[in-house]
Amino acid sequence: MQTLREYKCPCCGGAIEFDSRLQKMKCPYCDTEFDMETLKSYDEGLSGAHDEMEWETTAGQEWDDGETDGLRSYVCNSCGGEIVCDENTAATSCPFCGNPVVMMEKLAGSLKPDIVIPFKLDKDAAKAGLLKHLNSKRLVPKAFKDENHIDEIKGVYVPFWLFDTDVDAQVRYRTTRLRAWSDSEFDYTETSHYLVSRGGSIGFEHVPVDGSSKMADDLMESIEPFDFSEAVDFQTAYLAGFFADKYDVDAEQSIQRANERVKRSTEESFASTVTGYDTVTTESSSVSLHGGKARYALYPVWLLNTTWNGNKYTFAMNGQTGKFVGDLPVDKSAATKWMLGLSVGTSAAIYGFVNLLHGIGLL
């Protein structure tokens, strides 16, 4: 029997959930508020409670082999409705009564997160974020803005692996300096080539790699950074009222991506010290990591889906900072006009510059 946890208001019995604005648990029925410390004892009191709800029926047919792979079934403690979700869902809501529930076995033992950054922005902020995002884009079709309807919006705690490591690196760059001059007959360009080396140590903390195969890595990286100073020790109460996934990409599988991010950031950091040149190209680099460790965290993300002209568009908003990203359609007519305007403006500038040179006798 799968185990669910629901947080009930001791005043009225209604389901309570985490309020991102108050940073407390709140009952939507009687407006009673509870701080997170109070919920710790509540967690302990519920840890040994299990409902036994078994049913027998001859209705329906047997599933074929493989059909139920990846699915999990739960029974809502409030209304008895069946909640069907995939094997990685750790928090959701009952589709019948709407009560938020947490799948406890998904967060137990080695699967329990170390830390969580609670949601600071609510659903209304996510809707406003989408509107602001659309209005800031000049080349988005007007019909898309006017006819845009949100098909789905949900707050999701996305699993992340956070990597800490110290790095020793040696990086070599090929650089150039250019010098140009002219005489009465010719134009000259002199290119000087240099080999520049940089070496040293640098430390990294909380390098994030999302641990969900359902979340596009580039989408999750686009809404960074998260403010780790607001991370707190994990409690299941933070998940109430939101969706949550456990990781399906483990820490070992995430190491390669973490290494890529650390190596790229190291090279960029060292390159920023190579100044005074016209071109800088990395020729070789040697990066050595030591003292590395990883922690399991849940980060808050709002996901919004819209459909327009038969195409699905997915947007993501950082549930802590409000940073908003997502792909958008382009109005080809508006884009063409914009490019033509850019070309006309560039041509006018060149024409004016040529006239200036004529006027001062250089042409």
Side-chain angles (χ1 to χ4, degrees), residues 13-306:
I16 59 176
E17 58 188 49
F18 181 71
D19 189 304
S20 59
R21 289 176 294 182
L22 298 173
Q23 294 292 292
K24 294 181 179 181
M25 300 293 285
K26 182 177 180 179
C27 176
Y29 304 100
C30 66
D31 291 331
T32 304
E33 300 174 5
F34 308 88
D35 60 46
M36 301 308 294
E37 291 299 320
T38 302
L39 267 297
K40 283 186 178 179
S41 58
Y42 190 63
D43 268 340
E44 295 171 358
L46 291 177
S47 59
H50 300 283
D51 289 333
E52 296 294 332
M53 301 177 66
E54 299 181 359
W55 298 80
E56 293 184 4
T57 176
T58 57
Q61 305 177 33
E62 294 293 329
W63 290 95
D64 294 332
D65 291 342
E67 279 192 292
T68 59
D69 291 349
L71 293 180
R72 296 293 182 270
S73 178
Y74 303 84
V75 176
C76 177
N77 295 331
S78 294
C79 70
E82 184 179 19
I83 305 171
V84 179
C85 54
D86 70 31
E87 60 184 346
N88 295 317
T89 300
T92 184
S93 58
C94 175
F96 303 99
C97 65
N99 282 347
V101 294
V102 178
M103 288 67 175
M104 295 305 298
E105 79 282 356
K106 297 300 180 186
L107 302 166
S110 62
L111 301 179
K112 181 180 178 180
D114 298 307
I115 54 178
V116 59
I117 293 182
F119 274 88
K120 290 188 68 176
L121 303 173
D122 59 15
K123 184 179 292 187
D124 289 337
K127 293 178 181 178
L130 176 60
L131 183 61
K132 182 179 179 181
H133 184 66
L134 295 179
N135 289 335
S136 67
K137 307 302 179 182
R138 296 174 56 186
L139 302 182
V140 174
K142 185 176 184 300
F144 180 82
K145 297 179 181 179
D146 295 342
E147 300 170 9
N148 188 273
H149 300 287
I150 299 175
D151 299 329
E152 182 183 33
I153 177 171
K154 58 183 179 180
V156 181
Y157 279 106
V158 177
F160 276 85
W161 297 105
L162 306 182
F163 291 87
D164 298 347
T165 187
D166 293 318
V167 176
D168 296 325
Q170 296 288 334
V171 188
R172 189 164 61 185
Y173 305 92
R174 286 198 176 274
T175 66
T176 64
R177 284 187 182 138
L178 304 179
R179 186 169 72 93
W181 71 94
S182 302
D183 59 23
S184 59
E185 295 185 68
F186 301 102
D187 295 326
Y188 303 91
T189 301
E190 177 186 79
T191 303
S192 300
H193 296 267
Y194 303 89
L195 197 60
V196 180
S197 295
R198 289 290 187 269
S201 300
I202 187 171
F204 290 88
E205 291 184 333
H206 323 311
V207 177
V209 177
D210 79 82
S212 173
S213 62
K214 292 181 288 187
M215 298 295 178
D217 291 334
D218 56 350
L219 190 67
M220 292 299 99
E221 289 183 9
S222 295
I223 61 174
E224 294 176 11
F226 289 86
D227 183 359
F228 187 81
S229 67
E230 296 182 340
V232 297
D233 292 337
F234 175 78
Q235 290 186 54
T236 57
Y238 285 112
L239 307 187
F242 298 94
F243 292 85
D245 281 348
K246 79 171 185 67
Y247 64 86
D248 59 357
V249 179
D250 63 28
E252 288 294 323
Q253 294 170 312
S254 301
I255 286 177
Q256 180 178 351
R257 189 163 185 86
N259 288 349
E260 291 172 355
R261 300 198 71 180
V262 168
K263 181 179 175 66
R264 184 171 65 249
S265 295
T266 299
E267 292 175 349
E268 291 173 353
S269 178
F270 281 25
S272 67
T273 69
V274 183
T275 59
Y277 300 94
D278 293 294
T279 65
V280 177
T281 304
T282 302
E283 182 185 59
S284 64
S285 67
S286 173
V287 177
S288 176
L289 280 65
H290 54 90
K293 61 180 180 180
R295 281 184 287 180
Y296 178 24
L298 297 181
Y299 279 1
V301 178
W302 283 103
L303 293 176
L304 304 89
N305 292 310
T306 67

